[in-house]
Amino acid sequence: MAVLKLNLDEFDEVDYGLIAIHSSMEDYRLAYFINQNLPIILSKSKDEIGVTVKEGDVFFSKYFFEDFKNDTLWSLIQNKSEIIVHKKSTGQNLFLNATVEIATKVYLISELKKVDYFLKIENNTAPFAVEETIKNLKKIDRIAAVYAVNPEKIKSKNNLIF
């Protein structure tokens, strides 16, 4: 009887390009300017990306465009978000037994904390598309820096599976 083996490494391949964007713009403004400079039309997704941390669940906004002509999916993903935790004040201070709000920053990709947004290009068959996209994104005035990221070197790349 023949034995069939399934190699799980085949499913672990990265088939997307990833571009890091440093910008102080709000996500909707960045999506607008990207739509102006690239041949895509990003629109806000109703499904946000959820990540569970010890403080609770945190959600990251996502904009997407599905290019049926080229069979490509574009996603603009927020990398930084805040979670607000309510705690009772402890210790001897002026606000004894008062409820205090503590805001904690959470990152989708924690290794790249300085990055504000990621542009993920799935099913990218043309290798020049990432370089051409970076060149067009550099034309946007309010983007401080933009560069390609190798997804293979990211430890928390599972957060990019959605």
Side-chain angles (χ1 to χ4, degrees), residues 144-159:
V146 59
Y147 52 89
V149 176
N150 185 356
E152 295 287 341
K153 295 184 179 180
I154 298 174
K155 293 179 186 174
S156 56
K157 64 183 168 194
N158 288 341
N159 290 347

Side-chain angles (χ1 to χ4, degrees), residues 1-5:
M1 184 168 165
V3 177
L4 297 174
K5 290 185 180 181

Side-chain angles (χ1 to χ4, degrees), residues 55-71:
E55 291 87 6
D57 292 332
V58 65
F59 297 94
F60 299 91
S61 67
K62 174 182 149 186
Y63 290 77
F64 73 99
F65 171 69
E66 193 163 355
D67 185 0
F68 293 107
K69 181 179 156 190
N70 297 319
D71 193 31

